[in-house]
Amino acid sequence: MQLQDLSSSGDYYITAIKVYRQASGWGRLWKVIDWMNEHLPALVGSLGSSAVVDGGINMLSVGAGCGTIDSKILHHLLDSAHPKLRAVILEPDSHMMQQYQDLVSKESTKLQGVDFDWRQQTFQEFQATAKEDDKFHFISCISSIYYCGDLEKSLKFLYEKLDSGGLLLITTTSADSGFGKLWKYLSVNLAREGEHLMSTDIQEACYKLNIPIAEVQTIKIYCDISSCFNAPPHQLSQDGSILLDFLTHIVNFAQNAPAGFRDDVLRLLGSQECSVRGPEGQVNLDASNSIFLIRRE
Ligand SMILES: C[S@@+](CC[C@H](N)C(=O)[O-])C[C@H]1O[C@@H](n2cnc3c(N)ncnc32)[C@H](O)[C@@H]1O
């Protein structure tokens, strides 16, 4: 089956992220931010002592996107014990990067003390050129580990980039969510092992690499995917069709996937295995995320 992966589709991929955000009612974003607000203060308090001695935190954000989540992380990292912060922001997409920079301009008072090091590049490009002694106290990889290439190589690199006492935070699709079950089905049936990464892949890779996972938590997220079902697959609305592409990570899935396979995927997506029905019959996909906390001793 010759199907194009969404992450290699440039601007179309960014459009698909936006459609997904709308379908989840910005729920994912706010659920992740709520989690940060609840847990980050204690986590920041326990960062390595070197951050305090040097008077500042070194932070790396991988696939930062438009900065909505990052800016909340930065607010938490900046406190009286850490009044200075260097933030290395990796984001290959120029529109996302611009949105992030606009947000920083708007929040300039709150973000005083942050020295931004903007890198419009991929994680792989950063990895190839990073200085060995450039270490970080806090690394975030929020819904972006999927795009970092070889998983074990990426995790090893990120872990080794942590300063002692430093914290790596990774979020991915939970394997036991509806989204996770869909991705499992796709990776088995398309023989694309490793392309649809989820929480079990992170767990297995860390175990293999002897990277200790301090904690895994689940953030419950639902996404309204009714637009993928309110017309026959060939006649979906533009948003329904783009959303289906985001969910499968395959460009123009409704048109390009073989009809039998496409129908099986839609049946699985709409079934109780993956989704729950809302009061008006909406199809709400369980798109929960797992959040991994990895601390360097
Ligand atoms: C699903 S979005 C997550 C954005 C943000 N972290 C958030 O949670 O809102 C994934 C981000 O990873 C970026 N990305 C795609 N390929 C990448 C790569 N090879 N290296 C780093 N980031 C990448 C995308 O441009 C996008 O901004």
Side-chain angles (χ1 to χ4, degrees):
M1 248 183 264
Q2 277 299 327
L3 297 171
Q4 189 193 349
D5 191 275
L6 183 71
S7 47
S8 63
S9 66
D11 285 352
Y12 182 66
Y13 165 65
I14 301 297
T15 306
I17 292 182
K18 287 183 187 152
V19 171
Y20 177 67
R21 261 189 197 165
Q22 268 155 16
S24 60
W26 296 85
R28 182 191 78 87
L29 220 55
W30 289 111
K31 289 279 177 70
V32 175
I33 288 171
D34 283 348
W35 188 94
M36 299 291 169
N37 289 339
E38 192 182 335
H39 295 90
L40 271 189
L43 292 170
V44 172
S46 65
L47 283 179
S49 56
S50 55
V52 182
V53 174
D54 298 343
I57 289 183
N58 250 355
M59 185 260 199
L60 171 67
S61 174
V62 179
C66 58
T68 314
I69 295 177
D70 264 28
S71 71
K72 309 292 181 231
I73 295 180
L74 293 170
H75 295 161
H76 285 295
L77 291 178
L78 274 176
D79 61 17
S80 51
H82 314 104
K84 282 191 295 168
L85 206 157
R86 171 177 165 252
V88 177
I89 308 297
L90 296 187
E91 173 49 57
D93 182 72
S94 59
H95 303 294
M96 291 278 187
M97 187 71 115
Q98 188 57 53
Q99 276 182 289
Y100 195 151
Q101 291 172 343
D102 292 345
L103 183 68
V104 167
S105 305
K106 264 198 238 148
E107 298 198 348
S108 58
T109 318
K110 277 193 192 162
L111 294 175
Q112 247 175 24
V114 184
D115 177 15
F116 285 97
D117 182 349
W118 302 105
R119 311 272 183 100
Q120 197 196 318
Q121 58 183 179
T122 61
F123 171 76
Q124 294 86 331
E125 287 161 347
F126 176 76
Q127 200 176 10
T129 53
K131 292 196 192 103
E132 207 178 319
D133 58 353
D134 200 6
K135 301 278 183 183
F136 297 89
H137 305 106
F138 188 90
I139 301 179
S140 67
C141 194
I142 300 183
S143 301
S144 56
I145 192 76
Y146 317 110
Y147 314 112
C148 292
D150 183 276
L151 178 62
E152 286 182 22
K153 195 173 154 205
S154 309
L155 286 173
K156 186 167 184 294
F157 175 84
L158 289 170
Y159 186 65
E160 285 172 357
K161 275 275 151 240
L162 285 175
D163 210 333
S164 78
L167 193 67
L168 167 61
L169 205 146
I170 300 176
T171 74
T172 57
T173 301
S174 298
D176 56 6
S177 68
F179 209 154
K181 287 173 190 160
L182 169 72
W183 279 22
K184 179 84 196 151
Y185 184 83
L186 290 169
S187 56
V188 170
N189 285 282
L190 296 174
R192 286 174 160 188
E193 286 293 339
E195 265 183 42
H196 290 89
L197 282 184
M198 57 191 117
S199 55
T200 40
D201 297 300
I202 307 286
Q203 265 155 337
E204 280 164 24
C206 285
Y207 182 73
K208 233 167 139 183
L209 294 164
N210 228 356
I211 293 177
I213 297 173
E215 219 177 311
V216 190
Q217 295 197 20
T218 303
I219 306 181
K220 268 278 168 213
I221 297 167
Y222 285 92
C223 173
D224 184 347
I225 59 165
S226 310
S227 61
C228 300
F229 294 94
N230 51 20
H234 274 101
Q235 293 159 26
L236 288 179
S237 64
Q238 196 183 23
D239 275 2
S241 173
I242 296 174
L243 182 58
L244 189 56
D245 290 0
F246 183 83
L247 298 174
T248 56
H249 256 52
I250 289 167
V251 175
N252 214 354
F253 183 79
Q255 310 294 332
N256 294 345
F261 177 64
R262 179 200 63 206
D263 294 347
D264 287 346
V265 166
L266 282 166
R267 235 185 323 273
L268 174 66
L269 252 183
S271 74
Q272 285 177 1
E273 277 276 288
C274 297
S275 300
V276 291
R277 297 287 157 159
E280 276 140 41
Q282 310 94 309
V283 186
N284 292 318
L285 174 69
D286 174 359
S288 299
N289 276 192
S290 295
I291 187 152
F292 289 86
L293 299 173
I294 295 171
R295 195 181 287 285
R296 180 108 195 222
E297 298 307 326

